[in-house]
Amino acid sequence: MATAAIALLLAAAGAKSVALLLVGLAGLAVTAAAVWWALTHHGLLRVLAAVLAAVVPLAVLLYYAAVDLLWAALSALALWAVAMVTARAALSTDVPPEVPRDHRTPPPESPFLIMNPRSGGGKVGRFHLAERARALGAEVAVLDPAHPQDVAELARRAVAEGADLLGVAGGDGTQALVAGVAAEHDVPFMVISAGTRNHFAMDLGLDRSDPSTCLDALTDGVELHIDLGFVSDRVFVNNASFGVYAQVVQSPAYRDDKARTILQELPELLTHQSGPRLTVRAAHVLVDAPQAVLVSNNPYQAGDAVGLGRRAQLDSGALGVLGVNVDSAAQAVDLLRGRHARGLTALTADEVVVDADAPEIPVGVDGEALMLRTPVTCRIAPGSLRVRVPRGRPGVPRAKPPRDWRALRRLAFARRTGAGAG
């Protein structure tokens, strides 16, 4: 299909085909450069670059229309889209996602749940989680936003008073704090998907659209034994981030307006004008001066270059490590290729050491902002957390395979060679 897209333009344009292809490629290059300028500059230059990134593709299409080849260009784009879909299908496998083994255990007798009423835009109140949990026999502590509390200490006190399960309805940062206490005292932990993104709940196969279904674990649940990550002495259930993202998280404006804060901070961070110089040692590999580092509790699925998707499993006993170094528009675009991108280091390890030319560095731990002394050591504790989940949970969706055009070319040429040989 990709070949057909190019062939269509060549056939439709005839002698003009080379010039038309060059116009299209030039438009793509200028658009990529404009996007890079928009990301790495402030003020008027950013605005002009954003306008250029929007106008150039439109100008290319208008040019094709002026020479009566708009239909060919749009048809070629459609064929290219079909090529991407068929490539994904060709490279996919029927191997189901790895899931931790279920352990049948009796329901808790004295569950203790902590609920943050502000999480997820007020999901605790909207889904009547506290009332439903109390009706199922749980003791519920609803946090008071006006008076911040130490949720880890609250959980420890509950265990000392006889709680045999700890649970959280809140964001992943709060989940991690209480999960650490549950692992420390070897009591089951329960996740209620009342946060905004609920990445941990997603990887556990929980229903993120209706957090009240997570309460079914109190009466009809099973246990999963999964890993926990540690950065210094702090637990993380998802990831610890260094460099670009960690510095963005440190901004006081981040919680109120994440998108605006990221756009405001990106120019200095992407162009190495801000922040300490990092070095990362993991699995006998040294990564020097990355702009961003993500250390995850189990690696993210193949093709996820920025750690925003799913983890294939939570009990592999290994940390995932992603190091990113982007110095140009070409490298930024290249990140879309996933694990094969230039400037991207992807590996696994049981220990990661992040050092810097500064006595302490910003670290984002499950989205929470910390400052930690260097060097910072990340490690994994295999099977240390017992998570109680509903027996009838939706489960983890099958991961979409990444598009690997190199593998697809090898597959296509191998088949063509085999056909010719016969």
Side-chain angles (χ1 to χ4, degrees), residues 151-409:
V151 293
E153 182 56 35
L154 195 61
R156 289 191 183 94
R157 188 161 62 244
V159 172
E161 294 173 357
D164 59 355
L165 176 142
L166 296 174
V168 173
D172 287 334
T174 307
Q175 300 277 2
L177 289 171
V178 180
V181 177
E184 177 187 345
H185 294 278
D186 193 29
V187 299
F189 178 66
M190 192 174 84
V191 176
I192 304 170
S193 56
T196 302
R197 290 172 293 277
N198 296 301
H199 287 161
F200 189 38
M202 173 178 67
D203 292 333
L204 288 169
L206 300 176
D207 186 346
R208 295 186 296 161
S209 63
D210 183 358
S212 67
T213 60
C214 299
L215 296 174
D216 294 342
L218 293 173
T219 54
D220 185 19
V222 294
E223 280 189 14
L224 309 177
H225 295 176
I226 67 170
D227 309 333
L228 275 182
F230 286 82
V231 52
S232 295
D233 294 325
R234 173 73 178 256
V235 169
F236 61 92
V237 294
N238 292 328
N239 56 61
S241 56
F242 304 82
V244 172
Y245 182 68
Q247 288 177 246
V248 169
V249 170
Q250 296 291 322
S251 171
Y254 176 73
R255 287 199 174 277
D256 296 327
D257 193 339
K258 293 180 173 61
R260 182 184 294 273
T261 304
I262 290 171
L263 285 174
Q264 185 66 27
E265 299 286 341
L266 273 180
E268 288 76 18
L269 299 174
L270 288 178
T271 54
H272 296 279
Q273 296 176 17
S274 169
R277 179 187 177 91
L278 303 178
T279 57
V280 181
R281 292 178 176 84
H284 307 293
V285 174
L286 175 66
V287 184
D288 186 44
Q291 286 152 288
V293 179
L294 193 75
V295 180
S296 57
N297 174 22
N298 285 256
Y300 286 96
Q301 65 191 32
D304 184 0
V306 291
L308 297 176
R310 297 185 177 93
R311 288 163 288 179
Q313 60 185 115
L314 292 171
D315 60 348
S316 71
L319 297 168
V321 184
L322 293 173
V324 178
N325 198 320
V326 177
D327 292 309
S328 67
Q331 285 189 341
V333 172
D334 200 36
L335 279 178
L336 298 175
R337 293 172 53 205
R339 302 282 173 133
H340 301 282
R342 294 170 294 170
L344 176 69
T345 302
L347 50 90
T348 60
D350 55 14
E351 183 177 276
V352 179
V353 178
V354 181
D355 208 344
D357 58 356
E360 61 179 15
I361 55 175
V363 184
V365 183
D366 287 335
E368 303 291 329
L370 300 178
M371 292 295 294
L372 298 179
R373 293 194 60 81
T374 56
V376 179
T377 299
C378 302
R379 62 182 177 86
I380 194 161
S384 59
L385 182 64
R386 299 160 55 195
V387 182
R388 189 168 180 86
V389 296
R391 188 163 55 88
R393 65 195 182 282
V396 181
R398 186 184 301 273
K400 295 181 179 179
R403 291 183 293 271
D404 187 343
W405 293 105
R406 292 177 181 175
L408 187 65
R409 283 196 302 270

Side-chain angles (χ1 to χ4, degrees), residues 63-133:
Y63 171 73
Y64 283 145
V67 295
D68 296 324
L69 285 173
L70 180 60
W71 66 271
L74 294 178
S75 298
L77 288 175
L79 286 171
W80 190 263
V82 172
M84 295 174 70
V85 172
T86 55
R88 186 183 292 277
L91 297 174
S92 65
T93 64
D94 293 326
V95 179
E98 296 282 347
V99 293
R101 184 168 66 88
D102 290 353
H103 298 267
R104 298 295 178 92
T105 58
E109 295 181 358
S110 302
F112 180 81
L113 308 181
I114 298 171
M115 298 191 179
N116 184 348
R118 296 182 62 180
S119 264
K123 288 181 180 178
V124 168
R126 192 158 66 250
F127 288 91
H128 309 288
L129 297 180
E131 296 85 344
R132 294 185 181 192

